[in-house]
Amino acid sequence: QAMAFAHRQGVIHRDLKPLNIMVGAHGEVQVMDWGLAKDISAGESKGEPDESSDRSVHPESLIETTVGDIVGTLAYMPPEQARGEEQLTCAADVFALGSMLCEVLTGFPAYHGKSLNEVMRRAITADLADAQERLKQCDGDPNLVEITLNCLAADPTERPHDASVLAEQLADHRTGIEQRLQQERLSAERERGAAVAREASLLNQAKWERRRRRLTTFLSLA
């Protein structure tokens, strides 16, 4: 919802990742570090990195923000951003959100590897085969997996248009899960009720059978 609001204002974050997400004391989600944010509605950037910044990046920084021609974090970065394209859309943030969903479902973001160069190559070429295979093999809800795969589409036009669309899809998914759980609870309650009724019927049958035997015994005695 936070990113949906930003996108409605025409602002993209460009560096969404778990390290930039915080949960407040009351469960509210806060998006941090807007240093690379860009106002795409006005075509003006906010917090662009200084071109004179140190361009060297160490292998340990696979989940750290890079500087220079490529801005953002490679493990969560859409291919158009990794290639240094300037005309980014809200779909770039949607990819990063999808990468975080991928990490939730599989334990790793969209791209991971043994070196920065490997991760960079995968990001630039949109080599998503590993992420797609991990998602298909995970035990996550199929609908959530499909949403994640759509977010990780190499072509930005094939992703949800912005975070509002993604938030809607996730809300529908959650509603569907709650409805399914409610139906399962109702079904379980009906089954328990039927089991109790069957047990009561058997007890009544046994009780009447005992009475019938006593009556038969009495009549025989008489």
Side-chain angles (χ1 to χ4, degrees), residues 161-198:
H161 178 263
D162 57 24
S164 297
V165 177
L166 177 58
E168 242 177 70
Q169 293 177 349
L170 291 174
D172 290 344
H173 168 72
R174 180 174 178 177
T175 299
I177 291 291
E178 291 173 348
Q179 289 176 344
R180 191 167 70 219
L181 289 174
Q182 185 177 9
Q183 290 173 352
E184 289 175 357
R185 282 195 298 269
L186 290 174
S187 178
E189 288 173 4
R190 285 195 294 268
E191 181 60 32
R192 282 196 298 271
V196 170
R198 286 195 298 271

PDB file of all heavy atoms in Angstrom, residues 161-198:
ATOM      1  N   HIS A 161       0.924  -3.186 -13.706  1.00  0.00           N
ATOM      2  CA  HIS A 161       1.291  -1.815 -14.104  1.00  0.00           C
ATOM      3  C   HIS A 161       1.994  -1.051 -12.993  1.00  0.00           C
ATOM      4  O   HIS A 161       2.965  -0.342 -13.227  1.00  0.00           O
ATOM      5  CB  HIS A 161       0.034  -1.066 -14.543  1.00  0.00           C
ATOM      6  CG  HIS A 161       0.285   0.362 -14.916  1.00  0.00           C
ATOM      7  ND1 HIS A 161       0.077   1.412 -14.037  1.00  0.00           N
ATOM      8  CD2 HIS A 161       0.765   0.906 -16.056  1.00  0.00           C
ATOM      9  CE1 HIS A 161       0.401   2.548 -14.645  1.00  0.00           C
ATOM     10  NE2 HIS A 161       0.814   2.265 -15.859  1.00  0.00           N
ATOM     11  N   ASP A 162       1.491  -1.177 -11.772  1.00  0.00           N
ATOM     12  CA  ASP A 162       2.117  -0.490 -10.633  1.00  0.00           C
ATOM     13  C   ASP A 162       1.769  -1.241  -9.347  1.00  0.00           C
ATOM     14  O   ASP A 162       1.112  -2.286  -9.382  1.00  0.00           O
ATOM     15  CB  ASP A 162       1.675   0.984 -10.551  1.00  0.00           C
ATOM     16  CG  ASP A 162       0.167   1.141 -10.455  1.00  0.00           C
ATOM     17  OD1 ASP A 162      -0.500   0.195  -9.997  1.00  0.00           O
ATOM     18  OD2 ASP A 162      -0.352   2.202 -10.855  1.00  0.00           O
ATOM     19  N   ALA A 163       2.210  -0.692  -8.219  1.00  0.00           N
ATOM     20  CA  ALA A 163       2.005  -1.376  -6.940  1.00  0.00           C
ATOM     21  C   ALA A 163       0.537  -1.448  -6.551  1.00  0.00           C
ATOM     22  O   ALA A 163       0.141  -2.324  -5.785  1.00  0.00           O
ATOM     23  CB  ALA A 163       2.810  -0.684  -5.847  1.00  0.00           C
ATOM     24  N   SER A 164      -0.293  -0.525  -7.071  1.00  0.00           N
ATOM     25  CA  SER A 164      -1.734  -0.572  -6.775  1.00  0.00           C
ATOM     26  C   SER A 164      -2.339  -1.858  -7.324  1.00  0.00           C
ATOM     27  O   SER A 164      -3.143  -2.518  -6.655  1.00  0.00           O
ATOM     28  CB  SER A 164      -2.442   0.645  -7.376  1.00  0.00           C
ATOM     29  OG  SER A 164      -1.979   1.832  -6.798  1.00  0.00           O
ATOM     30  N   VAL A 165      -1.977  -2.205  -8.552  1.00  0.00           N
ATOM     31  CA  VAL A 165      -2.489  -3.424  -9.171  1.00  0.00           C
ATOM     32  C   VAL A 165      -2.011  -4.644  -8.387  1.00  0.00           C
ATOM     33  O   VAL A 165      -2.784  -5.573  -8.113  1.00  0.00           O
ATOM     34  CB  VAL A 165      -2.038  -3.514 -10.646  1.00  0.00           C
ATOM     35  CG1 VAL A 165      -2.504  -4.823 -11.271  1.00  0.00           C
ATOM     36  CG2 VAL A 165      -2.559  -2.324 -11.438  1.00  0.00           C
ATOM     37  N   LEU A 166      -0.726  -4.631  -8.006  1.00  0.00           N
ATOM     38  CA  LEU A 166      -0.179  -5.758  -7.246  1.00  0.00           C
ATOM     39  C   LEU A 166      -0.865  -5.869  -5.889  1.00  0.00           C
ATOM     40  O   LEU A 166      -1.202  -6.971  -5.443  1.00  0.00           O
ATOM     41  CB  LEU A 166       1.326  -5.574  -7.062  1.00  0.00           C
ATOM     42  CG  LEU A 166       2.045  -6.636  -6.221  1.00  0.00           C
ATOM     43  CD1 LEU A 166       1.841  -8.025  -6.814  1.00  0.00           C
ATOM     44  CD2 LEU A 166       3.529  -6.310  -6.111  1.00  0.00           C
ATOM     45  N   ALA A 167      -1.095  -4.721  -5.215  1.00  0.00           N
ATOM     46  CA  ALA A 167      -1.773  -4.732  -3.914  1.00  0.00           C
ATOM     47  C   ALA A 167      -3.173  -5.317  -4.045  1.00  0.00           C
ATOM     48  O   ALA A 167      -3.633  -6.072  -3.175  1.00  0.00           O
ATOM     49  CB  ALA A 167      -1.836  -3.316  -3.350  1.00  0.00           C
ATOM     50  N   GLU A 168      -3.850  -5.001  -5.129  1.00  0.00           N
ATOM     51  CA  GLU A 168      -5.193  -5.542  -5.384  1.00  0.00           C
ATOM     52  C   GLU A 168      -5.138  -7.054  -5.545  1.00  0.00           C
ATOM     53  O   GLU A 168      -5.963  -7.792  -4.981  1.00  0.00           O
ATOM     54  CB  GLU A 168      -5.768  -4.915  -6.664  1.00  0.00           C
ATOM     55  CG  GLU A 168      -7.034  -4.114  -6.442  1.00  0.00           C
ATOM     56  CD  GLU A 168      -7.522  -3.468  -7.721  1.00  0.00           C
ATOM     57  OE1 GLU A 168      -7.998  -4.194  -8.631  1.00  0.00           O
ATOM     58  OE2 GLU A 168      -7.425  -2.243  -7.817  1.00  0.00           O
ATOM     59  N   GLN A 169      -4.171  -7.508  -6.318  1.00  0.00           N
ATOM     60  CA  GLN A 169      -4.031  -8.950  -6.550  1.00  0.00           C
ATOM     61  C   GLN A 169      -3.738  -9.683  -5.240  1.00  0.00           C
ATOM     62  O   GLN A 169      -4.304 -10.755  -4.982  1.00  0.00           O
ATOM     63  CB  GLN A 169      -2.918  -9.214  -7.559  1.00  0.00           C
ATOM     64  CG  GLN A 169      -3.233  -8.723  -8.967  1.00  0.00           C
ATOM     65  CD  GLN A 169      -2.071  -8.926  -9.928  1.00  0.00           C
ATOM     66  OE1 GLN A 169      -0.947  -9.254  -9.510  1.00  0.00           O
ATOM     67  NE2 GLN A 169      -2.317  -8.737 -11.210  1.00  0.00           N
ATOM     68  N   LEU A 170      -2.861  -9.101  -4.418  1.00  0.00           N
ATOM     69  CA  LEU A 170      -2.521  -9.741  -3.142  1.00  0.00           C
ATOM     70  C   LEU A 170      -3.707  -9.708  -2.182  1.00  0.00           C
ATOM     71  O   LEU A 170      -3.920 -10.657  -1.412  1.00  0.00           O
ATOM     72  CB  LEU A 170      -1.311  -9.046  -2.517  1.00  0.00           C
ATOM     73  CG  LEU A 170       0.017  -9.253  -3.262  1.00  0.00           C
ATOM     74  CD1 LEU A 170       1.107  -8.397  -2.646  1.00  0.00           C
ATOM     75  CD2 LEU A 170       0.422 -10.719  -3.260  1.00  0.00           C
ATOM     76  N   ALA A 171      -4.491  -8.608  -2.216  1.00  0.00           N
ATOM     77  CA  ALA A 171      -5.681  -8.534  -1.370  1.00  0.00           C
ATOM     78  C   ALA A 171      -6.700  -9.592  -1.782  1.00  0.00           C
ATOM     79  O   ALA A 171      -7.304 -10.261  -0.933  1.00  0.00           O
ATOM     80  CB  ALA A 171      -6.297  -7.137  -1.456  1.00  0.00           C
ATOM     81  N   ASP A 172      -6.881  -9.756  -3.098  1.00  0.00           N
ATOM     82  CA  ASP A 172      -7.798 -10.793  -3.595  1.00  0.00           C
ATOM     83  C   ASP A 172      -7.308 -12.182  -3.197  1.00  0.00           C
ATOM     84  O   ASP A 172      -8.108 -13.058  -2.835  1.00  0.00           O
ATOM     85  CB  ASP A 172      -7.922 -10.709  -5.122  1.00  0.00           C
ATOM     86  CG  ASP A 172      -8.686  -9.474  -5.573  1.00  0.00           C
ATOM     87  OD1 ASP A 172      -9.376  -8.858  -4.736  1.00  0.00           O
ATOM     88  OD2 ASP A 172      -8.572  -9.111  -6.763  1.00  0.00           O
ATOM     89  N   HIS A 173      -5.984 -12.368  -3.278  1.00  0.00           N
ATOM     90  CA  HIS A 173      -5.396 -13.654  -2.887  1.00  0.00           C
ATOM     91  C   HIS A 173      -5.668 -13.925  -1.410  1.00  0.00           C
ATOM     92  O   HIS A 173      -6.087 -15.033  -1.036  1.00  0.00           O
ATOM     93  CB  HIS A 173      -3.895 -13.638  -3.151  1.00  0.00           C
ATOM     94  CG  HIS A 173      -3.153 -14.784  -2.542  1.00  0.00           C
ATOM     95  ND1 HIS A 173      -3.249 -16.076  -3.015  1.00  0.00           N
ATOM     96  CD2 HIS A 173      -2.316 -14.835  -1.461  1.00  0.00           C
ATOM     97  CE1 HIS A 173      -2.495 -16.873  -2.274  1.00  0.00           C
ATOM     98  NE2 HIS A 173      -1.931 -16.146  -1.326  1.00  0.00           N
ATOM     99  N   ARG A 174      -5.467 -12.910  -0.579  1.00  0.00           N
ATOM    100  CA  ARG A 174      -5.695 -13.083   0.866  1.00  0.00           C
ATOM    101  C   ARG A 174      -7.170 -13.364   1.151  1.00  0.00           C
ATOM    102  O   ARG A 174      -7.488 -14.233   1.971  1.00  0.00           O
ATOM    103  CB  ARG A 174      -5.249 -11.819   1.608  1.00  0.00           C
ATOM    104  CG  ARG A 174      -5.439 -11.894   3.114  1.00  0.00           C
ATOM    105  CD  ARG A 174      -4.862 -10.699   3.807  1.00  0.00           C
ATOM    106  NE  ARG A 174      -5.091 -10.754   5.236  1.00  0.00           N
ATOM    107  CZ  ARG A 174      -4.639  -9.863   6.110  1.00  0.00           C
ATOM    108  NH1 ARG A 174      -3.914  -8.841   5.676  1.00  0.00           N
ATOM    109  NH2 ARG A 174      -4.893  -9.976   7.388  1.00  0.00           N
ATOM    110  N   THR A 175      -8.057 -12.646   0.459  1.00  0.00           N
ATOM    111  CA  THR A 175      -9.491 -12.881   0.637  1.00  0.00           C
ATOM    112  C   THR A 175      -9.846 -14.308   0.252  1.00  0.00           C
ATOM    113  O   THR A 175     -10.628 -14.982   0.932  1.00  0.00           O
ATOM    114  CB  THR A 175     -10.308 -11.885  -0.213  1.00  0.00           C
ATOM    115  OG1 THR A 175     -10.010 -10.548   0.211  1.00  0.00           O
ATOM    116  CG2 THR A 175     -11.800 -12.133  -0.058  1.00  0.00           C
ATOM    117  N   GLY A 176      -9.273 -14.772  -0.872  1.00  0.00           N
ATOM    118  CA  GLY A 176      -9.521 -16.139  -1.309  1.00  0.00           C
ATOM    119  C   GLY A 176      -9.053 -17.161  -0.290  1.00  0.00           C
ATOM    120  O   GLY A 176      -9.745 -18.152  -0.029  1.00  0.00           O
ATOM    121  N   ILE A 177      -7.874 -16.916   0.304  1.00  0.00           N
ATOM    122  CA  ILE A 177      -7.344 -17.818   1.327  1.00  0.00           C
ATOM    123  C   ILE A 177      -8.274 -17.846   2.540  1.00  0.00           C
ATOM    124  O   ILE A 177      -8.594 -18.911   3.077  1.00  0.00           O
ATOM    125  CB  ILE A 177      -5.935 -17.372   1.765  1.00  0.00           C
ATOM    126  CG1 ILE A 177      -4.924 -17.585   0.631  1.00  0.00           C
ATOM    127  CG2 ILE A 177      -5.489 -18.129   3.013  1.00  0.00           C
ATOM    128  CD1 ILE A 177      -4.639 -19.023   0.308  1.00  0.00           C
ATOM    129  N   GLU A 178      -8.730 -16.653   2.982  1.00  0.00           N
ATOM    130  CA  GLU A 178      -9.610 -16.570   4.150  1.00  0.00           C
ATOM    131  C   GLU A 178     -10.937 -17.275   3.881  1.00  0.00           C
ATOM    132  O   GLU A 178     -11.468 -17.971   4.757  1.00  0.00           O
ATOM    133  CB  GLU A 178      -9.839 -15.107   4.521  1.00  0.00           C
ATOM    134  CG  GLU A 178      -8.601 -14.430   5.080  1.00  0.00           C
ATOM    135  CD  GLU A 178      -8.782 -12.942   5.281  1.00  0.00           C
ATOM    136  OE1 GLU A 178      -9.790 -12.383   4.774  1.00  0.00           O
ATOM    137  OE2 GLU A 178      -7.933 -12.318   5.957  1.00  0.00           O
ATOM    138  N   GLN A 179     -11.479 -17.092   2.675  1.00  0.00           N
ATOM    139  CA  GLN A 179     -12.735 -17.755   2.329  1.00  0.00           C
ATOM    140  C   GLN A 179     -12.556 -19.272   2.302  1.00  0.00           C
ATOM    141  O   GLN A 179     -13.427 -20.016   2.767  1.00  0.00           O
ATOM    142  CB  GLN A 179     -13.229 -17.261   0.976  1.00  0.00           C
ATOM    143  CG  GLN A 179     -13.730 -15.821   1.003  1.00  0.00           C
ATOM    144  CD  GLN A 179     -14.117 -15.318  -0.368  1.00  0.00           C
ATOM    145  OE1 GLN A 179     -13.765 -15.911  -1.402  1.00  0.00           O
ATOM    146  NE2 GLN A 179     -14.843 -14.205  -0.414  1.00  0.00           N
ATOM    147  N   ARG A 180     -11.429 -19.718   1.758  1.00  0.00           N
ATOM    148  CA  ARG A 180     -11.164 -21.151   1.704  1.00  0.00           C
ATOM    149  C   ARG A 180     -11.020 -21.736   3.102  1.00  0.00           C
ATOM    150  O   ARG A 180     -11.554 -22.812   3.393  1.00  0.00           O
ATOM    151  CB  ARG A 180      -9.900 -21.419   0.882  1.00  0.00           C
ATOM    152  CG  ARG A 180      -9.710 -22.901   0.563  1.00  0.00           C
ATOM    153  CD  ARG A 180      -8.646 -23.085  -0.500  1.00  0.00           C
ATOM    154  NE  ARG A 180      -7.327 -22.782   0.005  1.00  0.00           N
ATOM    155  CZ  ARG A 180      -6.383 -22.149  -0.691  1.00  0.00           C
ATOM    156  NH1 ARG A 180      -6.642 -21.721  -1.900  1.00  0.00           N
ATOM    157  NH2 ARG A 180      -5.193 -21.935  -0.172  1.00  0.00           N
ATOM    158  N   LEU A 181     -10.315 -21.003   3.979  1.00  0.00           N
ATOM    159  CA  LEU A 181     -10.151 -21.467   5.357  1.00  0.00           C
ATOM    160  C   LEU A 181     -11.493 -21.511   6.078  1.00  0.00           C
ATOM    161  O   LEU A 181     -11.763 -22.432   6.860  1.00  0.00           O
ATOM    162  CB  LEU A 181      -9.172 -20.561   6.108  1.00  0.00           C
ATOM    163  CG  LEU A 181      -7.702 -20.669   5.685  1.00  0.00           C
ATOM    164  CD1 LEU A 181      -6.872 -19.620   6.404  1.00  0.00           C
ATOM    165  CD2 LEU A 181      -7.155 -22.058   5.974  1.00  0.00           C
ATOM    166  N   GLN A 182     -12.327 -20.491   5.816  1.00  0.00           N
ATOM    167  CA  GLN A 182     -13.649 -20.464   6.443  1.00  0.00           C
ATOM    168  C   GLN A 182     -14.499 -21.645   5.974  1.00  0.00           C
ATOM    169  O   GLN A 182     -15.187 -22.290   6.770  1.00  0.00           O
ATOM    170  CB  GLN A 182     -14.361 -19.152   6.120  1.00  0.00           C
ATOM    171  CG  GLN A 182     -15.703 -18.999   6.831  1.00  0.00           C
ATOM    172  CD  GLN A 182     -16.349 -17.657   6.541  1.00  0.00           C
ATOM    173  OE1 GLN A 182     -15.887 -16.901   5.696  1.00  0.00           O
ATOM    174  NE2 GLN A 182     -17.414 -17.345   7.247  1.00  0.00           N
ATOM    175  N   GLN A 183     -14.435 -21.935   4.677  1.00  0.00           N
ATOM    176  CA  GLN A 183     -15.177 -23.079   4.143  1.00  0.00           C
ATOM    177  C   GLN A 183     -14.674 -24.386   4.746  1.00  0.00           C
ATOM    178  O   GLN A 183     -15.460 -25.285   5.062  1.00  0.00           O
ATOM    179  CB  GLN A 183     -15.044 -23.114   2.616  1.00  0.00           C
ATOM    180  CG  GLN A 183     -15.801 -21.995   1.905  1.00  0.00           C
ATOM    181  CD  GLN A 183     -15.520 -21.954   0.415  1.00  0.00           C
ATOM    182  OE1 GLN A 183     -14.649 -22.676  -0.087  1.00  0.00           O
ATOM    183  NE2 GLN A 183     -16.238 -21.116  -0.298  1.00  0.00           N
ATOM    184  N   GLU A 184     -13.343 -24.474   4.915  1.00  0.00           N
ATOM    185  CA  GLU A 184     -12.772 -25.681   5.515  1.00  0.00           C
ATOM    186  C   GLU A 184     -13.212 -25.823   6.967  1.00  0.00           C
ATOM    187  O   GLU A 184     -13.494 -26.934   7.432  1.00  0.00           O
ATOM    188  CB  GLU A 184     -11.244 -25.640   5.417  1.00  0.00           C
ATOM    189  CG  GLU A 184     -10.721 -25.825   4.000  1.00  0.00           C
ATOM    190  CD  GLU A 184      -9.217 -25.662   3.906  1.00  0.00           C
ATOM    191  OE1 GLU A 184      -8.598 -25.337   4.953  1.00  0.00           O
ATOM    192  OE2 GLU A 184      -8.654 -25.859   2.817  1.00  0.00           O
ATOM    193  N   ARG A 185     -13.273 -24.674   7.684  1.00  0.00           N
ATOM    194  CA  ARG A 185     -13.729 -24.725   9.075  1.00  0.00           C
ATOM    195  C   ARG A 185     -15.194 -25.150   9.154  1.00  0.00           C
ATOM    196  O   ARG A 185     -15.565 -25.978   9.986  1.00  0.00           O
ATOM    197  CB  ARG A 185     -13.550 -23.348   9.735  1.00  0.00           C
ATOM    198  CG  ARG A 185     -12.120 -23.038  10.145  1.00  0.00           C
ATOM    199  CD  ARG A 185     -12.067 -21.868  11.106  1.00  0.00           C
ATOM    200  NE  ARG A 185     -12.576 -20.650  10.489  1.00  0.00           N
ATOM    201  CZ  ARG A 185     -11.834 -19.766   9.841  1.00  0.00           C
ATOM    202  NH1 ARG A 185     -10.519 -19.974   9.731  1.00  0.00           N
ATOM    203  NH2 ARG A 185     -12.354 -18.680   9.324  1.00  0.00           N
ATOM    204  N   LEU A 186     -16.020 -24.577   8.271  1.00  0.00           N
ATOM    205  CA  LEU A 186     -17.434 -24.946   8.254  1.00  0.00           C
ATOM    206  C   LEU A 186     -17.608 -26.421   7.910  1.00  0.00           C
ATOM    207  O   LEU A 186     -18.425 -27.120   8.510  1.00  0.00           O
ATOM    208  CB  LEU A 186     -18.194 -24.070   7.251  1.00  0.00           C
ATOM    209  CG  LEU A 186     -18.365 -22.598   7.631  1.00  0.00           C
ATOM    210  CD1 LEU A 186     -18.997 -21.812   6.482  1.00  0.00           C
ATOM    211  CD2 LEU A 186     -19.229 -22.465   8.884  1.00  0.00           C
ATOM    212  N   SER A 187     -16.821 -26.877   6.929  1.00  0.00           N
ATOM    213  CA  SER A 187     -16.891 -28.283   6.539  1.00  0.00           C
ATOM    214  C   SER A 187     -16.475 -29.183   7.698  1.00  0.00           C
ATOM    215  O   SER A 187     -17.102 -30.220   7.949  1.00  0.00           O
ATOM    216  CB  SER A 187     -15.992 -28.514   5.323  1.00  0.00           C
ATOM    217  OG  SER A 187     -15.999 -29.866   4.950  1.00  0.00           O
ATOM    218  N   ALA A 188     -15.405 -28.766   8.403  1.00  0.00           N
ATOM    219  CA  ALA A 188     -14.925 -29.556   9.546  1.00  0.00           C
ATOM    220  C   ALA A 188     -15.970 -29.572  10.660  1.00  0.00           C
ATOM    221  O   ALA A 188     -16.199 -30.610  11.306  1.00  0.00           O
ATOM    222  CB  ALA A 188     -13.613 -28.985  10.070  1.00  0.00           C
ATOM    223  N   GLU A 189     -16.626 -28.417  10.873  1.00  0.00           N
ATOM    224  CA  GLU A 189     -17.660 -28.348  11.906  1.00  0.00           C
ATOM    225  C   GLU A 189     -18.851 -29.231  11.541  1.00  0.00           C
ATOM    226  O   GLU A 189     -19.426 -29.917  12.402  1.00  0.00           O
ATOM    227  CB  GLU A 189     -18.115 -26.896  12.096  1.00  0.00           C
ATOM    228  CG  GLU A 189     -17.083 -26.032  12.798  1.00  0.00           C
ATOM    229  CD  GLU A 189     -17.485 -24.563  12.822  1.00  0.00           C
ATOM    230  OE1 GLU A 189     -18.595 -24.238  12.351  1.00  0.00           O
ATOM    231  OE2 GLU A 189     -16.686 -23.748  13.316  1.00  0.00           O
ATOM    232  N   ARG A 190     -19.232 -29.208  10.247  1.00  0.00           N
ATOM    233  CA  ARG A 190     -20.335 -30.070   9.814  1.00  0.00           C
ATOM    234  C   ARG A 190     -19.971 -31.543   9.987  1.00  0.00           C
ATOM    235  O   ARG A 190     -20.793 -32.358  10.403  1.00  0.00           O
ATOM    236  CB  ARG A 190     -20.685 -29.776   8.356  1.00  0.00           C
ATOM    237  CG  ARG A 190     -21.447 -28.477   8.152  1.00  0.00           C
ATOM    238  CD  ARG A 190     -22.064 -28.430   6.772  1.00  0.00           C
ATOM    239  NE  ARG A 190     -21.046 -28.373   5.727  1.00  0.00           N
ATOM    240  CZ  ARG A 190     -20.573 -27.254   5.204  1.00  0.00           C
ATOM    241  NH1 ARG A 190     -21.044 -26.084   5.638  1.00  0.00           N
ATOM    242  NH2 ARG A 190     -19.663 -27.271   4.259  1.00  0.00           N
ATOM    243  N   GLU A 191     -18.725 -31.857   9.668  1.00  0.00           N
ATOM    244  CA  GLU A 191     -18.271 -33.240   9.808  1.00  0.00           C
ATOM    245  C   GLU A 191     -18.275 -33.662  11.277  1.00  0.00           C
ATOM    246  O   GLU A 191     -18.683 -34.782  11.615  1.00  0.00           O
ATOM    247  CB  GLU A 191     -16.863 -33.389   9.217  1.00  0.00           C
ATOM    248  CG  GLU A 191     -16.301 -34.797   9.276  1.00  0.00           C
ATOM    249  CD  GLU A 191     -17.161 -35.794   8.528  1.00  0.00           C
ATOM    250  OE1 GLU A 191     -17.796 -35.411   7.518  1.00  0.00           O
ATOM    251  OE2 GLU A 191     -17.214 -36.960   8.966  1.00  0.00           O
ATOM    252  N   ARG A 192     -17.810 -32.719  12.155  1.00  0.00           N
ATOM    253  CA  ARG A 192     -17.834 -33.028  13.592  1.00  0.00           C
ATOM    254  C   ARG A 192     -19.274 -33.225  14.072  1.00  0.00           C
ATOM    255  O   ARG A 192     -19.569 -34.116  14.863  1.00  0.00           O
ATOM    256  CB  ARG A 192     -17.154 -31.916  14.376  1.00  0.00           C
ATOM    257  CG  ARG A 192     -15.631 -31.965  14.336  1.00  0.00           C
ATOM    258  CD  ARG A 192     -15.028 -31.108  15.430  1.00  0.00           C
ATOM    259  NE  ARG A 192     -15.384 -29.695  15.255  1.00  0.00           N
ATOM    260  CZ  ARG A 192     -14.680 -28.828  14.544  1.00  0.00           C
ATOM    261  NH1 ARG A 192     -13.573 -29.251  13.914  1.00  0.00           N
ATOM    262  NH2 ARG A 192     -15.039 -27.568  14.439  1.00  0.00           N
ATOM    263  N   GLY A 193     -20.168 -32.336  13.575  1.00  0.00           N
ATOM    264  CA  GLY A 193     -21.578 -32.462  13.953  1.00  0.00           C
ATOM    265  C   GLY A 193     -22.167 -33.778  13.497  1.00  0.00           C
ATOM    266  O   GLY A 193     -22.911 -34.441  14.239  1.00  0.00           O
ATOM    267  N   ALA A 194     -21.820 -34.163  12.262  1.00  0.00           N
ATOM    268  CA  ALA A 194     -22.325 -35.439  11.743  1.00  0.00           C
ATOM    269  C   ALA A 194     -21.775 -36.616  12.545  1.00  0.00           C
ATOM    270  O   ALA A 194     -22.484 -37.591  12.827  1.00  0.00           O
ATOM    271  CB  ALA A 194     -21.950 -35.579  10.275  1.00  0.00           C
ATOM    272  N   ALA A 195     -20.492 -36.513  12.945  1.00  0.00           N
ATOM    273  CA  ALA A 195     -19.874 -37.586  13.734  1.00  0.00           C
ATOM    274  C   ALA A 195     -20.553 -37.700  15.098  1.00  0.00           C
ATOM    275  O   ALA A 195     -20.809 -38.810  15.589  1.00  0.00           O
ATOM    276  CB  ALA A 195     -18.386 -37.321  13.897  1.00  0.00           C
ATOM    277  N   VAL A 196     -20.846 -36.537  15.714  1.00  0.00           N
ATOM    278  CA  VAL A 196     -21.533 -36.548  17.014  1.00  0.00           C
ATOM    279  C   VAL A 196     -22.919 -37.156  16.874  1.00  0.00           C
ATOM    280  O   VAL A 196     -23.360 -37.942  17.717  1.00  0.00           O
ATOM    281  CB  VAL A 196     -21.623 -35.107  17.579  1.00  0.00           C
ATOM    282  CG1 VAL A 196     -22.550 -35.062  18.790  1.00  0.00           C
ATOM    283  CG2 VAL A 196     -20.234 -34.604  17.964  1.00  0.00           C
ATOM    284  N   ALA A 197     -23.615 -36.776  15.783  1.00  0.00           N
ATOM    285  CA  ALA A 197     -24.957 -37.320  15.555  1.00  0.00           C
ATOM    286  C   ALA A 197     -24.908 -38.828  15.361  1.00  0.00           C
ATOM    287  O   ALA A 197     -25.764 -39.567  15.879  1.00  0.00           O
ATOM    288  CB  ALA A 197     -25.579 -36.647  14.332  1.00  0.00           C
ATOM    289  N   ARG A 198     -23.892 -39.299  14.615  1.00  0.00           N
ATOM    290  CA  ARG A 198     -23.761 -40.744  14.396  1.00  0.00           C
ATOM    291  C   ARG A 198     -23.495 -41.461  15.722  1.00  0.00           C
ATOM    292  O   ARG A 198     -24.048 -42.534  15.992  1.00  0.00           O
ATOM    293  CB  ARG A 198     -22.634 -41.032  13.396  1.00  0.00           C
ATOM    294  CG  ARG A 198     -22.982 -40.710  11.950  1.00  0.00           C
ATOM    295  CD  ARG A 198     -21.975 -41.345  11.000  1.00  0.00           C
ATOM    296  NE  ARG A 198     -20.635 -40.821  11.208  1.00  0.00           N
ATOM    297  CZ  ARG A 198     -20.147 -39.747  10.591  1.00  0.00           C
ATOM    298  NH1 ARG A 198     -20.905 -39.067   9.743  1.00  0.00           N
ATOM    299  NH2 ARG A 198     -18.915 -39.350  10.823  1.00  0.00           N
TER     300      ARG A 198
END
